[in-house]
């Protein structure tokens, strides 16, 4: 049986997919690769058609079209029996690898969506990593012991970008985002404190109005971080613009700068009390931030993601435990007693 092959090597869809436009050779060839591998394996069109559950005539036409698209003879034909040409054997080697990778990918996505052993890609702010997130996952896995987590720590805007890119299923962030492409839910609120060196003029205080720190030098997170925006907004509400000497990427680094006497900072409470600083309650304006969970609007949830989302929403109002009191006494006084209530939460960025 003779076949005429186009000298142009033009790829065109098969008759049963001709309404679809393919942007590449792979897009045209992909639907026929499994058919080609079956025919090559059986060296018989009828037996391959029976295995695939398609009419023999449909499979024969598909193989002819495949050869026309490639402009290469893949089979030597003798009735319904076929054998691979040298080009066909070369093509089969790569096709089998490609089909194995596709099957591997299919197994992976099925595994990730499994209700019992699936995966959740979960993003959260840096300082939630030491206490809050481990406690949440531990509580969740009491009822879902085999669900896996891909954990991503980052600042708020970067996490939202990854959420939009499909890299994350859910993220805990602050401030709670308001965007038309996202769904967000407020889960909890966290008080902020003015952190000063333990030899600072305000270190003997327990409470302070933020306006009293208007002349202080501040250390803050970099622009783009949610806590930086909150700091700027609170200072503006208190009637001043903070004089920023240092900008960092992590809250505990800022505490270290404060302990070194390089400025003061508005920060959430630490997981563990840090020596060298005093943390003052801010009475005015009300210094707090909301923490919420966000996900992509219209994005279908796999069963494990849906289960973890329900769990997070059930923690509304008690996502973060009561923060420990980290009120130091004046430098000349006795050392503060160790905190008795260690939180299951680290502050957020």
């Amino acid at each position: 049986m003779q076949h005429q092959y186009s000298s142009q090597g033009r790829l065109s869809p098969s008759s049963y997919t001709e309404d679809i436009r393919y942007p590449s050779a792979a897009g045209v060839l992909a639907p026929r690769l499994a058919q080609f591998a079956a025919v090559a394996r059986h060296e018989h069109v009828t037996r391959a058609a029976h295995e695939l559950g398609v009419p023999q005539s449909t499979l024969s036409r598909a193989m002819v079209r495949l050869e026309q698209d490639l402009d290469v003879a893949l089979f030597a034909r003798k009735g319904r029996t076929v054998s691979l040409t040298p080009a066909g054997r070369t093509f089969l080697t790569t096709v089998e690898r490609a089909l194995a990778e596709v099957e591997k990918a299919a197994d992976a996505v099925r595994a990730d969506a499994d209700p019992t052993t699936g995966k959740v890609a979960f993003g959260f702010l840096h300082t939630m990593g030491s206490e809050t997130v481990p406690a949440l996952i531990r509580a969740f896995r009491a009822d879902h012991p085999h669900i896996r987590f891909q954990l991503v720590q980052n600042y708020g805007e970067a996490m939202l970008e990854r959420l939009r890119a499909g890299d994350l299923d859910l993220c805990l962030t602050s401030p709670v985002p308001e965007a038309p492409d996202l769904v967000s839910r407020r889960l909890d609120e966290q008080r902020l404190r003015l952190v000063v060196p333990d030899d600072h003029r305000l270190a003997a205080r327990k409470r302070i109005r933020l306006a009293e720190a208007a002349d202080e030098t501040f250390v803050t997170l970099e622009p783009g971080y949610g806590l930086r925006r909150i700091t700027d907004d609170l200072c503006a509400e208190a009637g001043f613009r903070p004089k920023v000497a240092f900008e960092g990427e992590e809250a505990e680094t800022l505490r270290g700068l404060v302990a070194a006497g390089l400025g003061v900072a508005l920060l959430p409470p630490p997981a563990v009390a840090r020596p060298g600083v005093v943390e003052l309650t801010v009475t005015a304006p009300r210094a707090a931030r909301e923490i919420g969970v966000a996900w992509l609007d219209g994005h279908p949830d796999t069963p494990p993601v849906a289960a973890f989302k329900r769990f997070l929403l059930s923690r509304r109002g008690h996502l973060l435990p009561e923060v420990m009191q980290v009120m130091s006494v004046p430098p000349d006084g006795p050392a503060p007693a160790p905190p008795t209530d260690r939180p299951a939460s680290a502050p957020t960025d």
Side-chain angles (χ1 to χ4, degrees):
M1 183 176 181
Q2 297 295 317
H3 298 281
Q4 298 297 321
Y5 301 105
S6 165
S7 61
Q8 301 299 316
R10 180 176 58 85
L11 297 177
S12 60
S14 63
S15 59
Y16 50 88
T17 57
E18 59 188 7
D19 58 329
I20 302 174
R21 293 187 178 182
Y22 295 94
S24 66
V28 173
L29 298 176
R32 304 191 198 118
L33 296 185
Q35 295 173 332
F36 165 75
V39 174
R41 184 167 59 253
H42 288 284
E43 294 188 335
H44 197 281
V45 176
T46 301
R47 288 196 291 268
H50 179 73
E51 176 190 305
L52 296 172
V54 300
Q56 180 269 332
S57 58
T58 299
L59 186 58
S60 294
R61 287 195 300 271
M63 293 303 95
V64 171
R65 182 64 64 86
L66 177 61
E67 291 177 308
Q68 290 174 342
D69 286 341
L70 292 173
D71 199 20
V72 172
L74 300 174
F75 298 104
R77 291 167 172 82
K78 189 174 293 185
R80 291 179 180 174
T81 301
V82 297
S83 60
L84 289 171
T85 64
R89 286 193 294 273
T90 299
F91 191 52
L92 178 63
T93 299
T94 302
V95 165
E96 288 178 330
R97 285 200 300 265
L99 292 174
E101 286 300 311
V102 170
E103 188 62 32
K104 182 179 177 181
D107 288 342
V109 296
R110 281 193 293 261
D112 287 348
D114 185 274
T116 303
T117 61
K119 184 183 75 173
V120 179
F122 183 44
F124 52 92
L125 299 166
H126 283 288
T127 48
M128 298 190 76
S130 63
E131 299 279 341
T132 301
V133 169
L136 286 172
I137 293 176
R138 180 179 180 180
F140 174 72
R141 293 191 77 187
D143 294 322
H144 304 82
H146 302 298
I147 285 182
R148 298 167 289 123
F149 283 83
Q150 176 189 349
L151 301 177
V152 176
Q153 292 176 271
N154 217 319
Y155 66 96
E157 286 301 320
M159 279 196 299
L160 297 183
E161 289 178 10
R162 297 194 65 172
L163 196 65
R164 291 182 170 105
D167 297 334
L168 295 175
D169 299 309
L170 302 164
C171 68
L172 286 181
T173 189
S174 178
V176 180
E178 295 182 7
D181 60 334
L182 300 177
V183 179
S184 58
R185 296 288 184 268
R186 179 188 183 278
L187 296 179
D188 216 333
E189 183 181 80
Q190 190 171 50
R191 297 299 296 267
L192 303 178
R193 290 154 174 191
L194 185 69
V195 184
V196 302
D198 61 7
D199 59 354
H200 192 271
R201 65 181 179 87
L202 299 172
R205 302 274 296 276
K206 290 186 176 181
R207 296 173 179 80
I208 188 173
R209 290 177 294 107
L210 189 56
E212 296 178 72
D215 295 330
E216 299 293 333
T217 297
F218 278 72
V219 296
T220 70
L221 295 177
E222 295 177 349
Y225 283 70
L227 185 57
R228 171 60 180 271
R229 176 151 45 105
I230 293 171
T231 296
D232 290 343
D233 290 346
L234 287 172
C235 290
E237 190 175 347
F240 69 96
R241 181 175 180 178
K243 295 176 289 186
V244 177
F246 297 93
E247 296 175 333
E249 297 180 346
E250 206 277 317
E252 287 311 301
T253 299
L254 300 187
R255 270 194 177 81
L257 293 173
V258 173
L262 299 176
V264 302
L266 274 172
L267 295 174
V272 179
R274 178 165 190 145
V277 300
V278 176
E279 310 221 356
L280 310 178
T281 298
V282 178
T283 58
R286 189 173 186 277
R289 63 174 179 170
E290 293 183 341
I291 297 171
V293 60
W295 60 90
L296 200 59
D297 190 20
H299 188 79
D301 293 330
T302 62
V305 171
F308 190 57
K309 182 188 293 184
R310 287 193 300 270
F311 169 78
L312 290 176
L313 295 176
S314 75
R315 307 279 293 200
R316 186 176 294 151
H318 54 277
L319 181 80
L320 305 172
E322 290 186 23
V323 297
M324 64 182 181
Q325 299 301 313
V326 196
M327 298 296 182
S328 299
V329 295
D332 296 334
T340 57
D341 295 322
R342 180 169 179 168
S345 165
T348 58
D349 295 330

